[in-house]
């Protein structure tokens, strides 16, 4: 069997622990041909997020909160069946899981500090608004004597 291409890095020096990944293979409904009905090319990759020690505690907390809707008993699962070969589907599933965990454990964005609008900009807007009103008022045919 061909070997997986290296550790799947989540972020920085943290990567998916190979020992904690649970693989399941089944027949895929995806592309294939005559061979597809006999080979288990669909891959389901499961990772026990609740019990893992591979992630820093803060990341783990964040990921558990953000992925709460996807977890089944603290386990997150990813499926891949877009390729014909099981090996490429394994790659795809592992990359997808790493990306999912990276996104879920990312620090929250900095809060936005509202900026003040410079006074000059406001004054210019009002000035242009007045001018526009004058132009439009000049178009009405009232003051024609």
């Amino acid at each position: 069997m061909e070997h997986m291409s290296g550790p799947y890095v989540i972020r920085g020096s943290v990567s998916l622990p190979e020992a904690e990944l649970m693989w399941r293979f089944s027949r895929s409904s995806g592309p294939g041909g005559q061979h597809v009905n006999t080979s288990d090319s669909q891959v389901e990759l499961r990772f026990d997020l609740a019990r893992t020690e591979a992630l820093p505690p803060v990341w783990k907390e964040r990921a558990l909160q953000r992925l709460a809707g996807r977890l089944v008993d603290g386990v997150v699962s990813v499926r891949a069946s877009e390729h014909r070969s099981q090996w490429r589907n394994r790659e795809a599933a592992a990359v997808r899981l790493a990306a999912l965990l990276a996104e879920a454990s990312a620090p929250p964005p900095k809060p936005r500090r509202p900026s003040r609008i410079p006074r000059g900009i406001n004054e210019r807007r009002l000035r242009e608004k007045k001018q526009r009103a004058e132009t439009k008022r000049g178009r009405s045919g009232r003051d024609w004597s």
Side-chain angles (χ1 to χ4, degrees), residues 1-6 8 18 21-25 40 43 45 85-91 94:
M1 187 179 122
E2 298 169 53
H3 194 67
M4 303 289 288
S5 65
Y8 293 95
E18 201 67 53
L21 300 180
M22 297 168 278
W23 299 93
R24 210 165 75 204
F25 308 103
D40 292 344
V43 172
L45 172 58
S85 83
Q86 185 192 94
W87 186 71
R88 283 177 67 192
N89 279 332
R90 284 178 68 141
E91 290 280 297

Side-chain angles (χ1 to χ4, degrees), residues 28-100:
S28 173
S29 61
Q34 291 141 324
H35 176 65
V36 76
N37 300 327
T38 58
S39 67
D40 292 344
S41 63
Q42 175 171 292
V43 172
E44 186 183 356
L45 172 58
R46 298 171 52 176
F47 179 67
D48 196 338
L49 186 56
R51 290 189 192 81
T52 186
E53 295 297 315
L55 296 177
V58 184
W59 289 20
K60 192 163 134 180
E61 274 305 304
R62 254 185 242 142
L64 283 169
Q65 279 178 347
R66 290 188 188 158
L67 297 175
R70 284 192 64 155
L71 298 178
V72 180
D73 297 331
V75 176
V76 62
S77 68
V78 174
R79 266 206 189 99
S81 59
E82 59 266 25
H83 300 294
R84 287 179 60 167
S85 83
Q86 185 192 94
W87 186 71
R88 283 177 67 192
N89 279 332
R90 284 178 68 141
E91 290 280 297
V95 167
R96 208 173 290 162
L97 180 64
L100 182 72

